[in-house]
Amino acid sequence: MVGNNHIRSVKNVRVKGIACAVPAHVAEVTSLTDAFGAENLNKIRSSTGVERRHVVSSECSSDLCVAAAERLISDLNIDRSTIDTLIFVSQTHDFTLPATACILQERLNLPMHAAAFDIALGCSGYTYGLWVAGSLLSGGGSQRALLLVGDTISKIVSPADRSVAALFGDAGSATILEHDPSAPDMPFVMGTDGRGAKNLIVPSGGFRDRHGQSTETSEPGVRGPYDLYMNGAEIFAFTLARVPALVKALHEANTASGKEIDHYVFHQANRFMLEHLVKRMKLPPEKVVLDVKDVGNTSCASIPLALSLHQNKAGSHLSGRFMLAGFGVGYSWAGCIADFDNVWVSSLTVTSNSETEGEM
């Protein structure tokens, strides 16, 4: 226990590779000028740091994750029969039921002995997914896990809502983790505060309000009951209250290693929030990855996408000690310290509705 944060150590787990995919269609923020006005839009661009986003047409999060997984499996020459665990993390699943992971098992031609399940999380989803996959691998109950993390938040954003219309992009990711007794420990910190659930929510469409009767977040001409609602001020306050403590706890857990953190990769919420956190926590700016300009906030896929975009500029392998931290919707937060040793990073896949169109 460090302060109010419980350190959960995952042992015997190594990250083997990471791949990401985005849809081909690019939506420029400037296309919203008529809707919001040039002055308002310039303020939005200045604070968020977002210039454009990749957004889907008819694709689902699972389609983007399949593209990323196929690329990663091919690049690493992985025998699919050796993948014994499949985890799909998303807030934008294919169906109410069945679990999208079950469908992905068949689409990816994974063995029937593979365990497959969904996790419904957003901004903290990647780091939570690493913890769940790592925990299953740690004791040897699983030998190789495929973690698929992605969201298509553009499908639930009202184009008339100034608080979110220019912010969110779509992406999917694939990460392969393996049981490895020689791997260094991965300390994790996570937490939950459900009191903040109402501040980032789609109130209708689930079984609490299936038919859109809720008026809690609706605003005529701005958003309806099936659209994403975000209380930006409350989300910002939550971030300032929780993330510095999370980072401090991980720093204290890291002290015993005698190693420095090489890079910090946080959920890519927006530029203003990340730059404010960096100043508040007195982190070296050159060690903090910030990559929202061309992809926006991609929810649970933002951390692997930031890793991918960061590494694609330098080469195909990722090495060093990384602090990863996701935080937001729920409220939910999770962070870890991961030692990456020649982790393969595939070129970013850009997909059409049904096939890969190219690379970035």
Side-chain angles (χ1 to χ4, degrees):
M1 181 78 72
V2 179
N4 293 322
N5 293 284
H6 178 62
I7 301 296
R8 309 165 191 240
S9 185
V10 170
K11 305 175 183 294
N12 309 323
V13 176
R14 189 175 300 280
V15 175
K16 182 76 172 176
I18 300 170
C20 292
V22 294
H25 179 64
V26 176
E28 298 286 344
V29 171
T30 52
S31 67
L32 298 169
T33 301
D34 289 345
F36 302 133
E39 184 177 350
N40 285 327
L41 201 61
N42 285 334
K43 290 179 181 178
I44 293 170
R45 292 165 63 193
S46 176
S47 63
T48 65
V50 179
E51 296 290 339
R52 59 194 59 84
R53 301 97 61 229
H54 288 260
V55 297
V56 295
S57 51
S58 59
E59 309 101 306
C60 291
S61 305
S62 60
D63 299 320
L64 300 176
C65 287
V66 164
E70 291 288 5
R71 169 58 62 86
L72 187 57
I73 290 170
S74 175
D75 285 352
L76 292 176
N77 195 26
I78 294 289
D79 180 351
R80 295 170 195 255
S81 69
T82 65
I83 298 174
D84 55 26
T85 302
L86 168 65
I87 302 171
F88 178 62
V89 183
S90 182
Q91 297 171 116
T92 48
H93 304 271
D94 286 14
F95 304 104
T96 300
L97 57 87
T100 304
C102 296
I103 298 169
L104 289 168
Q105 175 272 334
E106 189 273 335
R107 289 184 66 183
L108 291 168
N109 195 27
L110 301 187
M112 283 194 230
H113 66 253
F117 58 93
D118 291 357
I119 297 175
L121 279 172
C123 314
S124 65
Y126 186 69
T127 36
Y128 254 97
L130 289 177
W131 176 67
V132 172
S135 298
L136 294 172
L137 290 159
S138 184
S142 176
Q143 291 296 311
R144 178 173 281 164
L146 176 60
L147 174 64
L148 303 180
V149 180
D151 261 325
T152 48
I153 298 297
S154 70
K155 288 178 177 253
I156 54 174
V157 165
S158 167
D161 189 343
R162 191 169 66 184
S163 65
V164 293
L167 179 61
F168 288 98
D170 303 324
S173 70
T175 303
I176 289 179
L177 302 93
E178 299 177 340
H179 177 77
D180 183 351
S182 68
D185 293 359
M186 296 175 65
F188 282 80
V189 171
M190 44 250 304
T192 311
D193 183 358
R195 293 174 298 178
K198 64 182 180 296
N199 293 319
L200 191 52
I201 191 171
V202 178
S204 299
F207 289 98
R208 182 66 61 186
D209 180 25
R210 193 143 185 82
H211 302 294
Q213 301 303 309
S214 173
T215 59
E216 180 182 359
T217 63
S218 295
E219 188 175 340
V222 176
R223 79 184 72 81
Y226 295 103
D227 295 323
L228 177 70
Y229 165 76
M230 181 174 73
N231 185 327
E234 289 296 330
I235 297 298
F236 186 67
F238 149 75
T239 301
L240 293 185
R242 294 297 178 187
V243 177
L246 164 66
V247 171
K248 180 180 179 182
L250 287 173
H251 271 147
E252 292 180 15
N254 182 61
T255 300
S257 71
K259 299 179 182 179
E260 290 189 3
I261 303 296
D262 296 307
H263 297 285
Y264 298 85
V265 186
F266 301 138
H267 165 54
Q268 304 288 292
N270 62 67
R271 183 173 64 191
F272 176 78
M273 184 178 289
L274 290 180
E275 289 180 345
H276 194 88
L277 282 172
V278 169
K279 291 179 182 178
R280 183 172 182 139
M281 296 184 291
K282 299 180 180 178
L283 300 179
E286 67 276 8
K287 288 189 175 185
V288 180
V289 175
L290 175 56
D291 229 324
V292 298
K293 179 181 177 182
D294 296 321
V295 293
N297 178 335
T298 55
S299 187
C300 61
S302 77
I303 292 175
L305 183 56
L307 285 167
S308 178
L309 293 173
H310 169 75
Q311 192 56 25
N312 284 170
K313 297 170 184 174
S316 56
H317 288 87
L318 190 66
S319 292
R321 175 159 280 212
F322 286 72
M323 182 184 293
L324 313 178
F327 43 87
V329 59
Y331 294 141
S332 174
W333 59 96
C336 71
I337 295 173
D339 283 289
F340 291 151
D341 181 12
N342 284 321
V343 174
W344 173 263
V345 180
S346 299
S347 298
L348 181 64
T349 297
V350 181
T351 69
S352 65
N353 287 357
S354 59
E355 62 183 1
T356 299
E357 289 196 331
E359 299 176 358
M360 287 183 65

PDB file of all heavy atoms in Angstrom, residues 86-119:
ATOM      1  N   LEU A  86      -8.467 -14.600 -24.977  1.00  0.00           N
ATOM      2  CA  LEU A  86      -8.838 -13.431 -25.776  1.00  0.00           C
ATOM      3  C   LEU A  86      -9.687 -12.509 -24.913  1.00  0.00           C
ATOM      4  O   LEU A  86     -10.734 -12.914 -24.386  1.00  0.00           O
ATOM      5  CB  LEU A  86      -9.621 -13.852 -27.019  1.00  0.00           C
ATOM      6  CG  LEU A  86     -10.324 -12.738 -27.816  1.00  0.00           C
ATOM      7  CD1 LEU A  86      -9.301 -11.792 -28.414  1.00  0.00           C
ATOM      8  CD2 LEU A  86     -11.197 -13.325 -28.911  1.00  0.00           C
ATOM      9  N   ILE A  87      -9.239 -11.266 -24.769  1.00  0.00           N
ATOM     10  CA  ILE A  87      -9.953 -10.268 -23.984  1.00  0.00           C
ATOM     11  C   ILE A  87     -10.275  -9.080 -24.882  1.00  0.00           C
ATOM     12  O   ILE A  87      -9.378  -8.531 -25.539  1.00  0.00           O
ATOM     13  CB  ILE A  87      -9.133  -9.802 -22.770  1.00  0.00           C
ATOM     14  CG1 ILE A  87      -8.766 -10.990 -21.867  1.00  0.00           C
ATOM     15  CG2 ILE A  87      -9.898  -8.739 -21.975  1.00  0.00           C
ATOM     16  CD1 ILE A  87      -7.777 -10.636 -20.765  1.00  0.00           C
ATOM     17  N   PHE A  88     -11.537  -8.695 -24.925  1.00  0.00           N
ATOM     18  CA  PHE A  88     -11.972  -7.542 -25.723  1.00  0.00           C
ATOM     19  C   PHE A  88     -12.447  -6.450 -24.773  1.00  0.00           C
ATOM     20  O   PHE A  88     -13.403  -6.633 -24.012  1.00  0.00           O
ATOM     21  CB  PHE A  88     -13.092  -7.952 -26.676  1.00  0.00           C
ATOM     22  CG  PHE A  88     -13.640  -6.815 -27.506  1.00  0.00           C
ATOM     23  CD1 PHE A  88     -12.833  -6.135 -28.406  1.00  0.00           C
ATOM     24  CD2 PHE A  88     -14.970  -6.429 -27.393  1.00  0.00           C
ATOM     25  CE1 PHE A  88     -13.342  -5.099 -29.190  1.00  0.00           C
ATOM     26  CE2 PHE A  88     -15.489  -5.395 -28.165  1.00  0.00           C
ATOM     27  CZ  PHE A  88     -14.667  -4.724 -29.067  1.00  0.00           C
ATOM     28  N   VAL A  89     -11.787  -5.302 -24.819  1.00  0.00           N
ATOM     29  CA  VAL A  89     -12.131  -4.159 -23.967  1.00  0.00           C
ATOM     30  C   VAL A  89     -12.717  -3.054 -24.832  1.00  0.00           C
ATOM     31  O   VAL A  89     -12.071  -2.581 -25.777  1.00  0.00           O
ATOM     32  CB  VAL A  89     -10.889  -3.633 -23.219  1.00  0.00           C
ATOM     33  CG1 VAL A  89     -11.288  -2.480 -22.287  1.00  0.00           C
ATOM     34  CG2 VAL A  89     -10.209  -4.740 -22.430  1.00  0.00           C
ATOM     35  N   SER A  90     -13.938  -2.645 -24.513  1.00  0.00           N
ATOM     36  CA  SER A  90     -14.602  -1.623 -25.314  1.00  0.00           C
ATOM     37  C   SER A  90     -15.858  -1.145 -24.600  1.00  0.00           C
ATOM     38  O   SER A  90     -16.398  -1.826 -23.729  1.00  0.00           O
ATOM     39  CB  SER A  90     -14.986  -2.205 -26.690  1.00  0.00           C
ATOM     40  OG  SER A  90     -15.593  -1.228 -27.509  1.00  0.00           O
ATOM     41  N   GLN A  91     -16.333   0.048 -24.996  1.00  0.00           N
ATOM     42  CA  GLN A  91     -17.654   0.523 -24.587  1.00  0.00           C
ATOM     43  C   GLN A  91     -18.634   0.474 -25.757  1.00  0.00           C
ATOM     44  O   GLN A  91     -19.811   0.766 -25.588  1.00  0.00           O
ATOM     45  CB  GLN A  91     -17.563   1.974 -24.089  1.00  0.00           C
ATOM     46  CG  GLN A  91     -16.706   2.155 -22.859  1.00  0.00           C
ATOM     47  CD  GLN A  91     -16.481   3.609 -22.545  1.00  0.00           C
ATOM     48  OE1 GLN A  91     -16.906   4.107 -21.516  1.00  0.00           O
ATOM     49  NE2 GLN A  91     -15.813   4.313 -23.439  1.00  0.00           N
ATOM     50  N   THR A  92     -18.121   0.116 -26.929  1.00  0.00           N
ATOM     51  CA  THR A  92     -18.938   0.102 -28.136  1.00  0.00           C
ATOM     52  C   THR A  92     -18.901  -1.306 -28.729  1.00  0.00           C
ATOM     53  O   THR A  92     -18.242  -1.560 -29.739  1.00  0.00           O
ATOM     54  CB  THR A  92     -18.433   1.156 -29.149  1.00  0.00           C
ATOM     55  OG1 THR A  92     -17.001   1.038 -29.298  1.00  0.00           O
ATOM     56  CG2 THR A  92     -18.763   2.557 -28.663  1.00  0.00           C
ATOM     57  N   HIS A  93     -19.606  -2.209 -28.062  1.00  0.00           N
ATOM     58  CA  HIS A  93     -19.642  -3.611 -28.464  1.00  0.00           C
ATOM     59  C   HIS A  93     -20.542  -3.805 -29.690  1.00  0.00           C
ATOM     60  O   HIS A  93     -21.385  -2.961 -30.007  1.00  0.00           O
ATOM     61  CB  HIS A  93     -20.167  -4.462 -27.304  1.00  0.00           C
ATOM     62  CG  HIS A  93     -19.389  -4.296 -26.045  1.00  0.00           C
ATOM     63  ND1 HIS A  93     -18.295  -5.062 -25.738  1.00  0.00           N
ATOM     64  CD2 HIS A  93     -19.525  -3.430 -25.007  1.00  0.00           C
ATOM     65  CE1 HIS A  93     -17.800  -4.697 -24.577  1.00  0.00           C
ATOM     66  NE2 HIS A  93     -18.525  -3.691 -24.109  1.00  0.00           N
ATOM     67  N   ASP A  94     -20.385  -4.947 -30.347  1.00  0.00           N
ATOM     68  CA  ASP A  94     -21.197  -5.243 -31.532  1.00  0.00           C
ATOM     69  C   ASP A  94     -22.682  -5.394 -31.186  1.00  0.00           C
ATOM     70  O   ASP A  94     -23.550  -4.884 -31.893  1.00  0.00           O
ATOM     71  CB  ASP A  94     -20.721  -6.547 -32.182  1.00  0.00           C
ATOM     72  CG  ASP A  94     -19.395  -6.378 -32.914  1.00  0.00           C
ATOM     73  OD1 ASP A  94     -18.719  -5.359 -32.713  1.00  0.00           O
ATOM     74  OD2 ASP A  94     -19.032  -7.292 -33.685  1.00  0.00           O
ATOM     75  N   PHE A  95     -22.971  -6.123 -30.105  1.00  0.00           N
ATOM     76  CA  PHE A  95     -24.343  -6.462 -29.741  1.00  0.00           C
ATOM     77  C   PHE A  95     -24.526  -6.368 -28.227  1.00  0.00           C
ATOM     78  O   PHE A  95     -23.555  -6.385 -27.470  1.00  0.00           O
ATOM     79  CB  PHE A  95     -24.684  -7.894 -30.175  1.00  0.00           C
ATOM     80  CG  PHE A  95     -24.480  -8.166 -31.639  1.00  0.00           C
ATOM     81  CD1 PHE A  95     -23.390  -8.895 -32.074  1.00  0.00           C
ATOM     82  CD2 PHE A  95     -25.382  -7.683 -32.581  1.00  0.00           C
ATOM     83  CE1 PHE A  95     -23.194  -9.140 -33.426  1.00  0.00           C
ATOM     84  CE2 PHE A  95     -25.200  -7.931 -33.935  1.00  0.00           C
ATOM     85  CZ  PHE A  95     -24.097  -8.657 -34.362  1.00  0.00           C
ATOM     86  N   THR A  96     -25.783  -6.280 -27.808  1.00  0.00           N
ATOM     87  CA  THR A  96     -26.078  -6.410 -26.383  1.00  0.00           C
ATOM     88  C   THR A  96     -25.617  -7.777 -25.897  1.00  0.00           C
ATOM     89  O   THR A  96     -25.046  -7.923 -24.827  1.00  0.00           O
ATOM     90  CB  THR A  96     -27.586  -6.239 -26.127  1.00  0.00           C
ATOM     91  OG1 THR A  96     -27.988  -4.936 -26.567  1.00  0.00           O
ATOM     92  CG2 THR A  96     -27.917  -6.415 -24.656  1.00  0.00           C
ATOM     93  N   LEU A  97     -25.899  -8.813 -26.691  1.00  0.00           N
ATOM     94  CA  LEU A  97     -25.345 -10.136 -26.491  1.00  0.00           C
ATOM     95  C   LEU A  97     -25.341 -10.824 -27.847  1.00  0.00           C
ATOM     96  O   LEU A  97     -26.119 -10.455 -28.727  1.00  0.00           O
ATOM     97  CB  LEU A  97     -26.155 -10.944 -25.450  1.00  0.00           C
ATOM     98  CG  LEU A  97     -27.660 -11.177 -25.682  1.00  0.00           C
ATOM     99  CD1 LEU A  97     -27.927 -12.417 -26.542  1.00  0.00           C
ATOM    100  CD2 LEU A  97     -28.354 -11.338 -24.338  1.00  0.00           C
ATOM    101  N   PRO A  98     -24.400 -11.689 -28.126  1.00  0.00           N
ATOM    102  CA  PRO A  98     -23.402 -12.275 -27.229  1.00  0.00           C
ATOM    103  C   PRO A  98     -22.205 -11.356 -27.018  1.00  0.00           C
ATOM    104  O   PRO A  98     -22.118 -10.294 -27.658  1.00  0.00           O
ATOM    105  CB  PRO A  98     -22.980 -13.543 -27.990  1.00  0.00           C
ATOM    106  CG  PRO A  98     -23.061 -13.112 -29.426  1.00  0.00           C
ATOM    107  CD  PRO A  98     -24.284 -12.238 -29.489  1.00  0.00           C
ATOM    108  N   ALA A  99     -21.289 -11.804 -26.170  1.00  0.00           N
ATOM    109  CA  ALA A  99     -20.041 -11.076 -25.976  1.00  0.00           C
ATOM    110  C   ALA A  99     -19.302 -10.976 -27.307  1.00  0.00           C
ATOM    111  O   ALA A  99     -19.195 -11.952 -28.056  1.00  0.00           O
ATOM    112  CB  ALA A  99     -19.170 -11.792 -24.949  1.00  0.00           C
ATOM    113  N   THR A 100     -18.800  -9.791 -27.617  1.00  0.00           N
ATOM    114  CA  THR A 100     -18.077  -9.594 -28.869  1.00  0.00           C
ATOM    115  C   THR A 100     -16.840 -10.477 -28.936  1.00  0.00           C
ATOM    116  O   THR A 100     -16.430 -10.906 -30.020  1.00  0.00           O
ATOM    117  CB  THR A 100     -17.692  -8.116 -29.028  1.00  0.00           C
ATOM    118  OG1 THR A 100     -18.876  -7.312 -28.946  1.00  0.00           O
ATOM    119  CG2 THR A 100     -17.026  -7.849 -30.366  1.00  0.00           C
ATOM    120  N   ALA A 101     -16.234 -10.771 -27.784  1.00  0.00           N
ATOM    121  CA  ALA A 101     -15.047 -11.629 -27.757  1.00  0.00           C
ATOM    122  C   ALA A 101     -15.327 -12.996 -28.360  1.00  0.00           C
ATOM    123  O   ALA A 101     -14.456 -13.593 -29.010  1.00  0.00           O
ATOM    124  CB  ALA A 101     -14.534 -11.779 -26.324  1.00  0.00           C
ATOM    125  N   CYS A 102     -16.540 -13.515 -28.160  1.00  0.00           N
ATOM    126  CA  CYS A 102     -16.889 -14.819 -28.733  1.00  0.00           C
ATOM    127  C   CYS A 102     -16.892 -14.752 -30.256  1.00  0.00           C
ATOM    128  O   CYS A 102     -16.419 -15.663 -30.943  1.00  0.00           O
ATOM    129  CB  CYS A 102     -18.257 -15.275 -28.219  1.00  0.00           C
ATOM    130  SG  CYS A 102     -18.300 -15.562 -26.436  1.00  0.00           S
ATOM    131  N   ILE A 103     -17.421 -13.654 -30.790  1.00  0.00           N
ATOM    132  CA  ILE A 103     -17.437 -13.463 -32.236  1.00  0.00           C
ATOM    133  C   ILE A 103     -16.017 -13.292 -32.764  1.00  0.00           C
ATOM    134  O   ILE A 103     -15.654 -13.821 -33.820  1.00  0.00           O
ATOM    135  CB  ILE A 103     -18.297 -12.243 -32.591  1.00  0.00           C
ATOM    136  CG1 ILE A 103     -19.744 -12.463 -32.136  1.00  0.00           C
ATOM    137  CG2 ILE A 103     -18.237 -11.927 -34.080  1.00  0.00           C
ATOM    138  CD1 ILE A 103     -20.604 -11.230 -32.191  1.00  0.00           C
ATOM    139  N   LEU A 104     -15.185 -12.582 -32.013  1.00  0.00           N
ATOM    140  CA  LEU A 104     -13.801 -12.359 -32.422  1.00  0.00           C
ATOM    141  C   LEU A 104     -12.991 -13.653 -32.426  1.00  0.00           C
ATOM    142  O   LEU A 104     -12.088 -13.824 -33.252  1.00  0.00           O
ATOM    143  CB  LEU A 104     -13.152 -11.325 -31.497  1.00  0.00           C
ATOM    144  CG  LEU A 104     -13.654  -9.887 -31.687  1.00  0.00           C
ATOM    145  CD1 LEU A 104     -13.177  -8.994 -30.543  1.00  0.00           C
ATOM    146  CD2 LEU A 104     -13.186  -9.327 -33.019  1.00  0.00           C
ATOM    147  N   GLN A 105     -13.294 -14.562 -31.510  1.00  0.00           N
ATOM    148  CA  GLN A 105     -12.601 -15.859 -31.502  1.00  0.00           C
ATOM    149  C   GLN A 105     -12.787 -16.564 -32.839  1.00  0.00           C
ATOM    150  O   GLN A 105     -11.834 -17.088 -33.422  1.00  0.00           O
ATOM    151  CB  GLN A 105     -13.133 -16.726 -30.355  1.00  0.00           C
ATOM    152  CG  GLN A 105     -12.580 -18.148 -30.325  1.00  0.00           C
ATOM    153  CD  GLN A 105     -13.395 -19.130 -31.153  1.00  0.00           C
ATOM    154  OE1 GLN A 105     -14.593 -18.930 -31.369  1.00  0.00           O
ATOM    155  NE2 GLN A 105     -12.743 -20.174 -31.625  1.00  0.00           N
ATOM    156  N   GLU A 106     -14.003 -16.521 -33.364  1.00  0.00           N
ATOM    157  CA  GLU A 106     -14.274 -17.188 -34.647  1.00  0.00           C
ATOM    158  C   GLU A 106     -13.667 -16.404 -35.808  1.00  0.00           C
ATOM    159  O   GLU A 106     -13.056 -16.985 -36.720  1.00  0.00           O
ATOM    160  CB  GLU A 106     -15.793 -17.330 -34.822  1.00  0.00           C
ATOM    161  CG  GLU A 106     -16.195 -18.211 -36.010  1.00  0.00           C
ATOM    162  CD  GLU A 106     -16.278 -17.431 -37.311  1.00  0.00           C
ATOM    163  OE1 GLU A 106     -16.494 -16.204 -37.266  1.00  0.00           O
ATOM    164  OE2 GLU A 106     -16.111 -18.069 -38.374  1.00  0.00           O
ATOM    165  N   ARG A 107     -13.792 -15.088 -35.782  1.00  0.00           N
ATOM    166  CA  ARG A 107     -13.266 -14.275 -36.879  1.00  0.00           C
ATOM    167  C   ARG A 107     -11.752 -14.393 -37.006  1.00  0.00           C
ATOM    168  O   ARG A 107     -11.206 -14.353 -38.121  1.00  0.00           O
ATOM    169  CB  ARG A 107     -13.646 -12.802 -36.677  1.00  0.00           C
ATOM    170  CG  ARG A 107     -15.120 -12.507 -36.896  1.00  0.00           C
ATOM    171  CD  ARG A 107     -15.404 -11.015 -36.765  1.00  0.00           C
ATOM    172  NE  ARG A 107     -14.757 -10.239 -37.822  1.00  0.00           N
ATOM    173  CZ  ARG A 107     -14.806  -8.908 -37.902  1.00  0.00           C
ATOM    174  NH1 ARG A 107     -15.474  -8.219 -36.977  1.00  0.00           N
ATOM    175  NH2 ARG A 107     -14.204  -8.272 -38.891  1.00  0.00           N
ATOM    176  N   LEU A 108     -11.074 -14.540 -35.879  1.00  0.00           N
ATOM    177  CA  LEU A 108      -9.614 -14.631 -35.877  1.00  0.00           C
ATOM    178  C   LEU A 108      -9.120 -16.075 -35.951  1.00  0.00           C
ATOM    179  O   LEU A 108      -7.910 -16.318 -35.918  1.00  0.00           O
ATOM    180  CB  LEU A 108      -9.050 -13.941 -34.634  1.00  0.00           C
ATOM    181  CG  LEU A 108      -9.205 -12.419 -34.607  1.00  0.00           C
ATOM    182  CD1 LEU A 108      -8.880 -11.862 -33.226  1.00  0.00           C
ATOM    183  CD2 LEU A 108      -8.299 -11.772 -35.671  1.00  0.00           C
ATOM    184  N   ASN A 109     -10.068 -17.013 -36.041  1.00  0.00           N
ATOM    185  CA  ASN A 109      -9.713 -18.428 -36.156  1.00  0.00           C
ATOM    186  C   ASN A 109      -8.829 -18.885 -34.991  1.00  0.00           C
ATOM    187  O   ASN A 109      -7.841 -19.594 -35.169  1.00  0.00           O
ATOM    188  CB  ASN A 109      -9.004 -18.704 -37.489  1.00  0.00           C
ATOM    189  CG  ASN A 109      -8.939 -20.187 -37.820  1.00  0.00           C
ATOM    190  OD1 ASN A 109      -9.789 -20.972 -37.392  1.00  0.00           O
ATOM    191  ND2 ASN A 109      -7.910 -20.578 -38.570  1.00  0.00           N
ATOM    192  N   LEU A 110      -9.227 -18.484 -33.791  1.00  0.00           N
ATOM    193  CA  LEU A 110      -8.516 -18.920 -32.599  1.00  0.00           C
ATOM    194  C   LEU A 110      -9.082 -20.257 -32.136  1.00  0.00           C
ATOM    195  O   LEU A 110     -10.222 -20.614 -32.459  1.00  0.00           O
ATOM    196  CB  LEU A 110      -8.640 -17.876 -31.492  1.00  0.00           C
ATOM    197  CG  LEU A 110      -8.106 -16.470 -31.808  1.00  0.00           C
ATOM    198  CD1 LEU A 110      -8.144 -15.600 -30.562  1.00  0.00           C
ATOM    199  CD2 LEU A 110      -6.694 -16.524 -32.395  1.00  0.00           C
ATOM    200  N   PRO A 111      -8.311 -21.012 -31.367  1.00  0.00           N
ATOM    201  CA  PRO A 111      -8.767 -22.351 -30.964  1.00  0.00           C
ATOM    202  C   PRO A 111      -9.989 -22.297 -30.053  1.00  0.00           C
ATOM    203  O   PRO A 111     -10.207 -21.313 -29.332  1.00  0.00           O
ATOM    204  CB  PRO A 111      -7.555 -22.922 -30.229  1.00  0.00           C
ATOM    205  CG  PRO A 111      -6.799 -21.731 -29.749  1.00  0.00           C
ATOM    206  CD  PRO A 111      -6.969 -20.709 -30.826  1.00  0.00           C
ATOM    207  N   MET A 112     -10.801 -23.356 -30.074  1.00  0.00           N
ATOM    208  CA  MET A 112     -12.002 -23.404 -29.240  1.00  0.00           C
ATOM    209  C   MET A 112     -11.678 -23.569 -27.765  1.00  0.00           C
ATOM    210  O   MET A 112     -12.543 -23.324 -26.923  1.00  0.00           O
ATOM    211  CB  MET A 112     -12.921 -24.523 -29.719  1.00  0.00           C
ATOM    212  CG  MET A 112     -13.687 -24.168 -30.976  1.00  0.00           C
ATOM    213  SD  MET A 112     -15.018 -25.323 -31.270  1.00  0.00           S
ATOM    214  CE  MET A 112     -14.718 -25.732 -32.966  1.00  0.00           C
ATOM    215  N   HIS A 113     -10.457 -23.951 -27.444  1.00  0.00           N
ATOM    216  CA  HIS A 113     -10.103 -24.036 -26.024  1.00  0.00           C
ATOM    217  C   HIS A 113      -9.723 -22.663 -25.446  1.00  0.00           C
ATOM    218  O   HIS A 113      -9.425 -22.546 -24.251  1.00  0.00           O
ATOM    219  CB  HIS A 113      -8.955 -25.039 -25.793  1.00  0.00           C
ATOM    220  CG  HIS A 113      -7.643 -24.638 -26.407  1.00  0.00           C
ATOM    221  ND1 HIS A 113      -7.123 -25.247 -27.520  1.00  0.00           N
ATOM    222  CD2 HIS A 113      -6.737 -23.674 -26.066  1.00  0.00           C
ATOM    223  CE1 HIS A 113      -5.957 -24.702 -27.832  1.00  0.00           C
ATOM    224  NE2 HIS A 113      -5.705 -23.734 -26.954  1.00  0.00           N
ATOM    225  N   ALA A 114      -9.744 -21.623 -26.296  1.00  0.00           N
ATOM    226  CA  ALA A 114      -9.404 -20.279 -25.815  1.00  0.00           C
ATOM    227  C   ALA A 114     -10.532 -19.721 -24.948  1.00  0.00           C
ATOM    228  O   ALA A 114     -11.708 -19.826 -25.297  1.00  0.00           O
ATOM    229  CB  ALA A 114      -9.147 -19.344 -26.986  1.00  0.00           C
ATOM    230  N   ALA A 115     -10.162 -19.110 -23.839  1.00  0.00           N
ATOM    231  CA  ALA A 115     -11.124 -18.347 -23.032  1.00  0.00           C
ATOM    232  C   ALA A 115     -11.320 -17.002 -23.716  1.00  0.00           C
ATOM    233  O   ALA A 115     -10.350 -16.381 -24.167  1.00  0.00           O
ATOM    234  CB  ALA A 115     -10.593 -18.151 -21.617  1.00  0.00           C
ATOM    235  N   ALA A 116     -12.574 -16.542 -23.813  1.00  0.00           N
ATOM    236  CA  ALA A 116     -12.846 -15.274 -24.495  1.00  0.00           C
ATOM    237  C   ALA A 116     -13.939 -14.520 -23.748  1.00  0.00           C
ATOM    238  O   ALA A 116     -15.002 -15.079 -23.476  1.00  0.00           O
ATOM    239  CB  ALA A 116     -13.268 -15.516 -25.941  1.00  0.00           C
ATOM    240  N   PHE A 117     -13.681 -13.259 -23.419  1.00  0.00           N
ATOM    241  CA  PHE A 117     -14.675 -12.474 -22.691  1.00  0.00           C
ATOM    242  C   PHE A 117     -14.466 -10.994 -22.924  1.00  0.00           C
ATOM    243  O   PHE A 117     -13.393 -10.559 -23.347  1.00  0.00           O
ATOM    244  CB  PHE A 117     -14.648 -12.801 -21.196  1.00  0.00           C
ATOM    245  CG  PHE A 117     -13.310 -12.578 -20.526  1.00  0.00           C
ATOM    246  CD1 PHE A 117     -13.005 -11.373 -19.909  1.00  0.00           C
ATOM    247  CD2 PHE A 117     -12.362 -13.593 -20.486  1.00  0.00           C
ATOM    248  CE1 PHE A 117     -11.786 -11.173 -19.277  1.00  0.00           C
ATOM    249  CE2 PHE A 117     -11.138 -13.411 -19.859  1.00  0.00           C
ATOM    250  CZ  PHE A 117     -10.852 -12.200 -19.260  1.00  0.00           C
ATOM    251  N   ASP A 118     -15.525 -10.221 -22.646  1.00  0.00           N
ATOM    252  CA  ASP A 118     -15.510  -8.764 -22.813  1.00  0.00           C
ATOM    253  C   ASP A 118     -15.284  -8.066 -21.475  1.00  0.00           C
ATOM    254  O   ASP A 118     -15.669  -8.573 -20.418  1.00  0.00           O
ATOM    255  CB  ASP A 118     -16.856  -8.265 -23.357  1.00  0.00           C
ATOM    256  CG  ASP A 118     -17.115  -8.676 -24.797  1.00  0.00           C
ATOM    257  OD1 ASP A 118     -16.225  -9.300 -25.417  1.00  0.00           O
ATOM    258  OD2 ASP A 118     -18.212  -8.375 -25.296  1.00  0.00           O
ATOM    259  N   ILE A 119     -14.700  -6.874 -21.566  1.00  0.00           N
ATOM    260  CA  ILE A 119     -14.613  -5.950 -20.436  1.00  0.00           C
ATOM    261  C   ILE A 119     -15.158  -4.611 -20.913  1.00  0.00           C
ATOM    262  O   ILE A 119     -14.710  -4.086 -21.936  1.00  0.00           O
ATOM    263  CB  ILE A 119     -13.169  -5.781 -19.933  1.00  0.00           C
ATOM    264  CG1 ILE A 119     -12.614  -7.102 -19.391  1.00  0.00           C
ATOM    265  CG2 ILE A 119     -13.094  -4.690 -18.867  1.00  0.00           C
ATOM    266  CD1 ILE A 119     -11.151  -7.041 -18.973  1.00  0.00           C
TER     267      ILE A 119
END
